[in-house]
Amino acid sequence: VGELAKSFLWNPFFPVRLEDTLFHVLLLISKHRIQVVPVVEQSNLKVTGFVTQNAVIQLLLQSDGLTWFDSIAEKPLSEFRFENERVSFVYGDESIADALHVLFKSQTGAVAVINRQTRMLIGSVRNGDVYHLMENDKIFRDRKVVTVEEFIRIETSDRDPDPTIEREMGALLSAGVLQLRNKYRPRMDSPVTNKKTDTLKEAMKNVARTKSDFCFQVDDSQHLLGILTLRDIILQFSPPSMNSNIHGGGFFETALELTGCRIKGGTLVCDH
C-alpha cells in the first residue's frame, strides 16, 4: 500500500471538518480535482462521512430562487465554456477492450457509445462499469470479441430495487442521500443527456435526480456535442484560485469586478 500511495493513481487526501463551509469544499474540489472530500472530527481526526461532488450539486440547488444562484444557473449551457467540450467515444460495434483503452486514455471517467450508422448516442461506459468484467468471467475472457453495444445492454446485479423513492428533489436533499452507500446508477444504455438550450440549473437537477457523475450534451437528433461533468458545474460557483489556472465561476468573478478587482496571472489585481 505504501508503494501504491506514491503512485499517480491516488488522489491527495484533503479532509474537511464538520464546522467548515460549503465555500471551503468548493475550493478543494475545484483546485485539486478530487471527487470525494472526507469529513473528519477535529478532536480525534476520525472520518465521519464524505461529501461527494453530487452532494455539492444537491446543496447548491438549495439556493434555487436566490438571485446570486439564478444569475448563473438560469443561463443556457450554450453560454458556458466547459473544460471537456470534446468527448471521447467508441462505436457500438467495437470491442469492450477498445472501449477500455479509450476510457483509460480519456481520463474523464466515461466514454460515449455511438451507433456507427446513425451517429446517435446509444450509451456510455464509465469507470465504475468495469466491475462487470470482474463479476462475469465469460465477458472478461471475451472482452476482445464482445461488442460495446452488447456490453452496455447488461443488466446490473446491484441495482437499487426502487430508485424512484429518492427521485424527488426533497428526498435528494436529505442527509442520508449525501453518503456513498447509494448503489443506484443509470444504466449504461440509458445515458443522461441535456441539450445546449437547457439551462445550467436544468442540467444540475438532471444529474442530481439520476445520481450521475456527468451528462452528455446532444442535439435534437441525439448526436453527441460534448460532455458536462460535475466538476464543470461546480467550477461555475467556485472561488478563484490564486495559485492555479482555475479562475472560478461567474458568481465570484462578478463579485470581484464589483469591488474593482480581478485575478490576473495568479495575482489579485485591484484598480484602486
Side-chain angles (χ1 to χ4, degrees), residues 36-195:
V36 178
V37 179
V39 181
V40 299
E41 292 182 355
Q42 178 69 19
S43 57
N44 56 16
L45 297 182
K46 177 182 177 182
V47 177
T48 61
F50 299 90
V51 179
T52 66
Q53 288 184 333
N54 202 285
V56 172
I57 299 298
Q58 295 167 26
L59 290 170
L60 284 170
L61 282 170
Q62 292 189 51
S63 298
D64 188 2
L66 299 180
T67 302
W68 75 267
F69 177 80
D70 286 350
S71 64
I72 302 172
E74 291 289 359
K75 293 180 180 179
L77 296 176
S78 58
E79 293 189 16
F80 295 92
R81 294 191 63 182
F82 301 113
E83 288 187 333
N84 300 299
E85 288 291 338
R86 297 183 62 182
V87 54
S88 300
F89 68 91
V90 292
Y91 292 113
D93 56 9
E94 295 185 77
S95 71
I96 299 175
D98 292 330
L100 294 178
H101 180 69
V102 175
L103 179 64
F104 175 76
K105 290 184 62 177
S106 70
Q107 298 294 308
T108 58
V111 293
V113 182
I114 306 295
N115 181 284
R116 190 182 291 274
Q117 283 72 41
T118 64
R119 301 284 173 163
M120 292 176 60
L121 176 69
I122 60 175
S124 67
V125 178
R126 304 153 297 197
N127 285 342
D129 297 321
V130 176
Y131 80 91
H132 288 299
L133 298 177
M134 305 297 103
E135 290 186 333
N136 193 315
D137 292 336
K138 185 179 186 305
I139 294 179
F140 182 75
R141 289 194 304 268
D142 297 339
R143 61 190 180 278
K144 294 185 178 181
V145 179
V146 177
T147 67
V148 182
E149 186 165 2
E150 291 172 334
F151 179 61
I152 65 175
R153 308 292 183 193
I154 297 173
E155 284 285 347
T156 56
S157 59
D158 65 344
R159 179 167 297 278
D160 189 328
D162 190 10
T164 58
I165 294 177
E166 295 177 340
R167 286 292 181 94
E168 293 297 324
M169 287 307 301
L172 276 171
L173 297 174
S174 66
V177 185
L178 304 186
Q179 300 180 18
L180 294 175
R181 66 189 179 194
N182 195 303
K183 296 182 178 180
Y184 174 73
R185 288 166 62 87
R187 286 178 54 95
M188 288 185 284
D189 60 354
S190 300
V192 180
T193 61
N194 277 98
K195 297 179 181 178

Side-chain angles (χ1 to χ4, degrees), residues 23 27 30 238-244 246-249 252-253 256 263:
F23 182 94
L27 182 59
S30 61
S238 297
S241 179
M242 298 295 290
N243 57 351
S244 74
I246 305 301
H247 299 296
F252 289 95
E253 288 182 351
L256 282 174
I263 299 295

